[in-house]
Amino acid sequence: MEKTIAQLHTHLSEVPQAFRALPVGQVTKKAAPEKWSPLEILGHLCDSATNNLGRFIRAQQEQPYRVISYQQNEWVSLQAYQDRPAEEILQLWVGLNQSILRVMSSMPPANGQNACELPDGTTVTLEWLMSDYVEHLAHHLNQIFPKD
């Protein structure tokens, strides 16, 4: 868990400044009509954080915990991220991930081994689910801030 926590902490330290440094036109630019803009990607990461924060808390209380998927495209559309101020979405992302960081940091180590059943029936540990969340976050941050 230490590596996962450290990675999330790094993202929280680096992303706000990097996102604010993006040119205004780039924040809402879509590569294609069906693709998300960087602002919508950040909004999706807020939706992911919202869903996973609840999962991380419930999985410490309910055993086995059953992960329920959500309709990601519909969430992004219904939240209207493309039309909202970038700073509002950025602050939401920071706040949600600070909460996730606190949940991860304060979790008793034994709870990390709690069983979580994915929608496809696969069983993983809560620690795996938390690590997967941070990997998913990194994947989408790489879409916003591509490495040359």
Side-chain angles (χ1 to χ4, degrees):
M1 277 306 303
E2 289 179 20
K3 180 181 175 188
T4 299
I5 291 167
Q7 288 172 329
L8 183 54
H9 189 270
T10 298
H11 292 315
L12 279 164
S13 298
E14 296 175 354
V15 167
Q17 182 177 353
F19 198 82
R20 288 180 182 116
L22 291 174
V24 174
Q26 185 178 336
V27 171
T28 56
K29 185 177 180 181
K30 295 178 177 237
E34 70 281 359
K35 298 286 186 181
W36 291 334
S37 69
L39 186 58
E40 289 173 312
I41 293 170
L42 190 65
H44 163 67
L45 292 174
C46 291
D47 297 339
S48 176
T50 298
N51 279 275
N52 280 289
L53 178 60
R55 290 171 180 162
F56 299 161
I57 293 168
R58 286 189 298 273
Q60 292 187 63
Q61 302 169 349
E62 304 169 16
Q63 280 300 290
Y65 175 71
R66 288 181 177 79
V67 175
I68 299 170
S69 61
Y70 68 101
Q71 302 299 316
Q72 299 174 10
N73 289 323
E74 287 78 3
W75 277 59
V76 168
S77 176
L78 291 169
Q79 296 265 29
Y81 290 121
Q82 186 72 352
D83 302 321
R84 292 167 65 181
E87 187 63 28
E88 174 188 328
I89 307 310
L90 182 58
Q91 288 180 20
L92 178 61
W93 180 85
V94 168
L96 287 165
N97 281 285
Q98 285 173 334
S99 291
I100 288 173
L101 188 61
R102 277 190 289 279
V103 169
M104 288 179 175
S105 298
S106 65
M107 179 177 71
N111 287 3
Q113 299 310 305
N114 286 2
C116 300
E117 185 181 313
L118 301 179
D120 70 2
T122 304
T123 299
V124 298
T125 64
L126 175 54
E127 187 173 308
W128 182 94
L129 195 65
M130 290 175 165
S131 176
D132 185 64
Y133 168 76
V134 175
E135 289 174 16
H136 170 259
L137 175 63
H139 165 75
H140 284 298
L141 290 175
N142 286 334
Q143 292 176 323
I144 297 172
F145 312 108
K147 296 189 172 54
D148 297 326

